[in-house]
Amino acid sequence: MRHFLTLADFSKQEILEILDIAKSLKKDLKAGKYSNLLERKTLGMIFEKNSTRTRVSFETGIYQLGGQGIFLSSNETQLGRGEPIKDTSRVLSSMVDLIMMRTHEHARLEEFAHYSSIPVINGLSDSFHPMQLLADYLTMQECQKDKNPIVTYVGDGNNMAHSWLMLAAKMGFELRIASPKNYEVSPDIYQKAREFAKISGAKLIVTNNPQEALANADVVTTDTWASMGQENEKEARKKAFKGYCITKDSMQLAKPDCIFLHCLPAYREQEVSEEVLESSQSKIFLEAENRLHAQKGVMVWLHQNR
C-alpha cells in the first residue's frame, strides 16, 4: 500500500509521474474536459487543523475526478472524543477509498497510515507539507524554473522548510535555507535530506544569513513566522525574525527574472512586503491554484499504484 506522507518516500521519477498526471488533468480542465478517473470513489478528509486551500482544493479535486469528498472536522469524529487513531483508521478505511488527514504531530499520520487499508495523504503535519511542495514544483515547471534552479527559502525552519529539503534532495537542485538562530530546521530531517542529496547531487545549504542565501536565486520563497498553534509566540518571533522579511531590496539580490512563492496565508510586512506580493515576480496565486491540480495528480497516482 502506497501512502503520501512525505516526499522522502518517493523517487524523482515517481514525483515527475505525479506531476505529469497533474499537468494533463490541468490541461483537460482548462479545455473544459472532465475526467472520471475516480468515478464513484470517496475521499475522507480529516481536519484536525483548519484550512482554506486544503479543504477547497481536495473537495473540488475529488469532485472533478468523478468522486465525492466527506469533510470531517475534529469536532465531528470520535478522534475528538479520544478514540484511538488505529480504531478510526480501520473503520474509515473500510468505508472510503482515500483518506486525507491534516493534523498536528506527524506521528499521528504515520500511525493512521499504518492501520489503514487504503492510501493516506498528508494534507499537512507539523513536520511536513508535501502537497504544497508538489504545487510549488509544478509552478516552477510552468515558469521554467525547474532546470538546475537555485531556490532560497527565508524564514522559519518549519514543515515548509523541511518539505523543501526533501524536494530539493530528491530532484537534485540547490536549496538555501536562511533562518534565525534557534529557529533552524530539524537536524534529523536535514541529515536525512543530505543522505538523499548524495544520490541526486542536490546542494543543501543552511545558514543564518538571508542576504547570502538570496544571491542569484531563481526562486525565492518564505512562510509565516508563526504557524498555526504558535500564536502565543508571535511577538517573540517578530523580534527574532527581524531582517528576514522579503522586500523589493531582498529580491534585487536574486536574479532579475526570479519568481516569488508563498504557500499562503501571507502576513504582509512581516515575512514579505506588500510590494513583493503584488509584483510581477509573485506567482502566489498560480501556486495556490496548482494545489488543486497537484492533489488530483496524487489521488489518481495513488489509486493507480495501490
Side-chain angles (χ1 to χ4, degrees), residues 154 214 220 222 244-247 250-251 260 271-273 276:
V154 177
L214 285 161
V220 174
T222 186
Y244 284 79
C245 180
I246 302 299
T247 64
S250 301
M251 293 295 286
F260 174 77
E271 72 268 16
V272 60
S273 69
V276 170

Side-chain angles (χ1 to χ4, degrees), residues 10-20 170-171 301:
F10 289 80
S11 67
K12 177 178 180 178
Q13 183 57 41
E14 287 172 331
I15 292 170
L16 291 174
E17 285 176 6
I18 291 170
L19 290 174
D20 283 344
K170 289 291 183 171
M171 306 309 288
W301 191 93

